Coordinates of all heavy atoms in Angstrom, one line a residue:
Y1666 N 18.1 10.8 -14.8 CA 17.6 10.2 -13.6 C 18.2 10.9 -12.4 O 17.6 11.1 -11.4 CB 17.9 8.7 -13.6 CG 17.4 8.0 -12.3 CD1 16.1 8.1 -11.9 CD2 18.3 7.2 -11.6 CE1 15.6 7.5 -10.8 CE2 17.8 6.5 -10.5 CZ 16.5 6.7 -10.1 OH 16.0 6.0 -8.9
G1667 N 19.5 11.3 -12.5 CA 20.1 12.1 -11.4 C 19.4 13.4 -11.2 O 19.2 13.8 -10.0
N1668 N 19.0 14.1 -12.2 CA 18.2 15.3 -12.1 C 16.9 15.1 -11.4 O 16.4 15.9 -10.5 CB 18.0 16.0 -13.4 CG 19.2 16.6 -14.0 OD1 20.2 16.8 -13.3 ND2 19.2 16.8 -15.3
F1669 N 16.2 13.9 -11.7 CA 15.0 13.6 -11.1 C 15.2 13.4 -9.5 O 14.4 13.9 -8.7 CB 14.4 12.3 -11.7 CG 13.3 11.6 -10.9 CD1 12.0 12.1 -11.0 CD2 13.5 10.5 -10.1 CE1 11.0 11.6 -10.2 CE2 12.5 9.9 -9.4 CZ 11.2 10.4 -9.5
L1670 N 16.2 12.6 -9.2 CA 16.5 12.4 -7.7 C 16.9 13.7 -7.0 O 16.4 13.9 -5.9 CB 17.7 11.4 -7.6 CG 17.4 10.0 -8.1 CD1 18.7 9.1 -8.1 CD2 16.3 9.3 -7.3
T1671 N 17.6 14.5 -7.7 CA 17.9 15.8 -7.1 C 16.7 16.6 -6.8 O 16.5 17.3 -5.8 CB 18.9 16.6 -8.0 OG1 20.1 15.9 -8.1 CG2 19.3 18.0 -7.3
G1672 N 15.8 16.6 -7.8 CA 14.5 17.3 -7.6 C 13.6 16.7 -6.5 O 12.9 17.5 -5.9
L1673 N 13.8 15.4 -6.2 CA 13.0 14.9 -5.1 C 13.4 15.5 -3.8 O 12.6 15.8 -2.9 CB 13.2 13.3 -5.0 CG 12.4 12.5 -6.0 CD1 12.8 11.0 -5.8 CD2 10.9 12.7 -5.8
K1674 N 14.8 15.6 -3.6 CA 15.3 16.2 -2.4 C 16.5 17.2 -2.7 O 16.3 18.4 -2.7 CB 15.8 15.1 -1.4 CG 14.6 14.3 -0.8 CD 15.1 13.3 0.3 CE 13.9 12.5 0.8 NZ 14.3 11.6 1.9
D1675 N 17.6 16.6 -2.9 CA 18.8 17.4 -3.2 C 19.9 16.6 -3.8 O 19.7 15.4 -4.0 CB 19.3 18.2 -1.9 CG 19.5 17.2 -0.8 OD1 19.9 16.1 -1.0 OD2 19.3 17.7 0.4
A1676 N 21.1 17.2 -4.1 CA 22.2 16.4 -4.7 C 22.7 15.4 -3.7 O 23.2 14.3 -4.2 CB 23.3 17.4 -5.1
A1677 N 22.7 15.6 -2.4 CA 23.1 14.6 -1.5 C 22.3 13.4 -1.6 O 22.8 12.2 -1.5 CB 23.2 15.2 -0.1
Y1678 N 21.0 13.6 -1.7 CA 20.0 12.4 -1.8 C 20.3 11.7 -3.1 O 20.3 10.4 -3.1 CB 18.6 12.9 -1.8 CG 17.6 11.8 -1.9 CD1 17.4 10.9 -0.8 CD2 16.8 11.6 -3.0 CE1 16.5 9.9 -0.9 CE2 15.9 10.6 -3.1 CZ 15.7 9.7 -2.1 OH 14.8 8.7 -2.2
R1679 N 20.6 12.4 -4.2 CA 20.9 11.7 -5.5 C 22.1 10.9 -5.3 O 22.1 9.7 -5.7 CB 21.2 12.8 -6.5 CG 21.7 12.3 -7.9 CD 22.5 13.3 -8.6 NE 23.7 13.8 -7.9 CZ 24.3 15.0 -8.1 NH1 23.8 15.8 -9.0 NH2 25.3 15.3 -7.3
D1680 N 23.2 11.4 -4.6 CA 24.4 10.6 -4.5 C 24.2 9.4 -3.6 O 24.8 8.4 -3.8 CB 25.5 11.5 -3.9 CG 25.9 12.6 -4.8 OD1 25.6 12.6 -6.0 OD2 26.5 13.6 -4.3
H1681 N 23.3 9.6 -2.6 CA 22.9 8.4 -1.7 C 22.3 7.3 -2.5 O 22.7 6.1 -2.3 CB 22.0 8.9 -0.6 CG 21.4 7.8 0.2 ND1 22.0 7.0 1.1 CD2 20.1 7.4 0.2 CE1 21.2 6.1 1.6 NE2 20.0 6.3 1.1
V1682 N 21.3 7.7 -3.3 CA 20.6 6.6 -4.1 C 21.6 6.0 -5.1 O 21.7 4.8 -5.3 CB 19.4 7.2 -4.9 CG1 18.8 6.2 -5.8 CG2 18.4 7.7 -3.9
F1683 N 22.4 6.8 -5.8 CA 23.4 6.3 -6.7 C 24.4 5.3 -6.0 O 24.8 4.3 -6.6 CB 24.2 7.4 -7.4 CG 23.5 8.0 -8.5 CD1 22.2 7.6 -9.0 CD2 24.1 9.1 -9.2 CE1 21.6 8.2 -10.1 CE2 23.5 9.7 -10.3 CZ 22.2 9.2 -10.7

Side-chain angles (χ1 to χ4, degrees):
Y1666 182 52
N1668 289 340
F1669 168 78
L1670 293 173
T1671 301
L1673 281 179
K1674 291 187 180 180
D1675 51 31
Y1678 181 70
R1679 175 202 62 200
D1680 294 344
H1681 167 73
V1682 173
F1683 277 1

